[in-house]
Amino acid sequence: MRILFLHPSFPAQFHHRAAVLASDPNHQVVFGTMRPDGELPGVRKVYFNIAREVSPHTHHYVRPLENAVLHGQAVYRLGQALLSEGFTPDLVFAHAGWGLPLFVKDIFPKTRLLCYCEWFYRARGADADFNPTVPLQVDDELRLRVKNAAMLIDLANCDRALTPTRWQHHQFPPDFQSKISVIPDGVDTEFFQPEPEAKLALPTLDLDLSNVSELVTYVSPGLEPYKGFPQLMQAIALLQRRRPDCHAVIVGEDRTIYSKPLPDGKTYKQAMLESLPLDRSRIHFTGPLSYREYLQVLQASSVHIYLTYPYILSRSLLEAMSTGCAIVASQTAPVMEVIRDGVNGLLVDFFSPQAIADRVDEALSQPDKMTLLKANARKTIEEQYDLRQLLPKQVQWVFER
């Protein structure tokens, strides 16, 4: 079978699916992407790029759709190039919502189209109106409705779709939910496994915390409100006053991905460092890390904090659980699909730095209790999110009719 994956990044959520399909000599796997770095054995990478940026004169409600059309056109041109060399896919598996699948049925009319559907925007009841200090404006509500245009076209055109959590599935319109299966992405539990005696030393960053007895960790692609970064920093300030031996390691880029930038141009990291009484010798920002260094952070963690708006579930939470971390996480969807308070982690009010600090304090002060919770966290991943169990289901789903 000829299979074409489409994702702006590489290999993103398709990593393990593409790799296992490419390992079968009966399949020819091509991956269309905008990202040049990275390789997978047996997977041929091909590239597409948009012809221009979105026009600044386009109505701001419609800019995401224009951007999607530009990406869809780029994929169409890629399809033409593939056809010219004799490659017609039997199956296209595309990340939906960015425009990549928009014209797949036009360039490949007989090809089955599968979509990975991550998020459907809603003005009420999810992330958009979650923060009471940032009230939703009418303009936001109308803009969010239009922002779903490309996703709705993808859902109408695709043969079947997939999403990783029940919460994400619930966000999509009821008319389409029967078309969307729920299968988690899965965690490599052989790689992300506990190392009870682990100590943290990252020579590439000249960071040696091997003598630190209390290490609080936090991981996020961006340091921003959607991932509770302001509350995290306030909680760390409280913890530093209570626990003089406590250090914090923060992994992630100093950028915003989902949140609105600050009006004065500062990053949230800059704003929090300037406004809080922090002992900077005990707070360590690593920036992005290699997977091996990231694993070392998780293995050395005394308590791992995961905070999120009701939005997409980050892989980092599942990876931290697989590594046997003591988890303090926000009592938000879809976290509550995975964490049961007092069983495999501790849940906390997202908006309360005091409560976050209290629960971290509790975890650090009760290591015997945490031993059970850490074991249960690992067990949850092994039983429900282990890639070795989920990958065969994911591959089987690809070939179902």
Side-chain angles (χ1 to χ4, degrees), residues 248-287:
V249 172
I250 297 174
V251 180
E253 291 189 68
D254 187 15
R255 61 171 178 156
T256 57
I257 302 172
Y258 310 110
S259 309
K260 292 181 179 178
L262 290 170
D264 59 5
K266 292 180 180 178
T267 67
Y268 286 95
K269 175 184 171 182
Q270 290 171 326
M272 300 312 294
L273 287 176
E274 291 175 6
S275 63
L276 292 172
L278 290 160
D279 177 355
R280 297 199 189 184
S281 69
R282 290 192 285 138
I283 185 166
H284 312 278
F285 294 90
T286 70

Side-chain angles (χ1 to χ4, degrees), residues 104-122:
V104 163
K105 288 287 191 177
D106 299 286
I107 189 67
F108 305 123
K110 296 182 180 180
T111 293
R112 282 202 303 136
L113 174 61
L114 307 181
C115 282
Y116 185 95
C117 296
E118 209 163 33
W119 190 246
F120 192 86
Y121 294 92
R122 293 183 177 274

Side-chain angles (χ1 to χ4, degrees), residues 13-14 17 93-96 113-119 151 155 158-165 168-169 172 176-177 179-185 390 393-395 397-398:
Q13 292 93 342
F14 296 145
R17 297 172 177 89
F93 197 171
H95 195 295
L113 174 61
L114 307 181
C115 282
Y116 185 95
C117 296
E118 209 163 33
W119 190 246
M151 178 63 78
L155 284 169
C158 74
D159 294 282
R160 297 167 61 238
L162 182 71
T163 198
T165 70
Q168 287 162 260
H169 183 267
F172 288 90
F176 286 110
Q177 288 180 10
K179 204 174 192 179
I180 306 171
S181 300
V182 179
I183 305 178
D185 293 329
L390 290 171
K393 295 180 181 179
Q394 294 166 0
V395 172
W397 178 87
V398 167

